[in-house]
Amino acid sequence: MSGNAAVWGRVRGRLRAFPERLAACGAEAAAYGRCVQASTAPGGRLTKDLCVQEFEALRSCFAAVGGRRPALGR
């Protein structure tokens, strides 16, 4: 059970840090959101790696704000 508590502790820590990271990375988050929105609009087609440049920019910004690479999956 202690391993499970450690996992939830890390998850809670990431969730607490998210508002600060999002506020600091607003431009990158907006660019990623626009890319996803455009590709899911009528006639658009969201495919794997379509918005990878925007996602990586957001991921890098989150890592810079947090001081380490965040555990964001692809």
Side-chain angles (χ1 to χ4, degrees):
M1 283 289 187
S2 64
N4 206 13
V7 169
W8 284 110
R10 287 191 306 270
V11 169
R12 278 192 288 279
R14 286 188 204 126
L15 288 173
R16 284 188 192 114
F18 186 76
E20 176 188 338
R21 290 180 181 186
L22 188 58
C25 301
E28 292 83 354
Y32 179 63
R34 280 191 303 272
C35 181
V36 171
Q37 181 183 23
S39 61
T40 58
R45 177 170 250 151
L46 183 62
T47 58
K48 185 176 190 263
D49 293 337
L50 183 66
C51 300
V52 73
Q53 289 179 320
E54 292 84 354
F55 178 78
E56 288 301 330
L58 179 59
R59 184 179 189 146
S60 295
C61 183
F62 273 20
V65 171
R68 63 183 176 86
R69 185 180 178 115
L72 297 175
R74 280 198 217 193

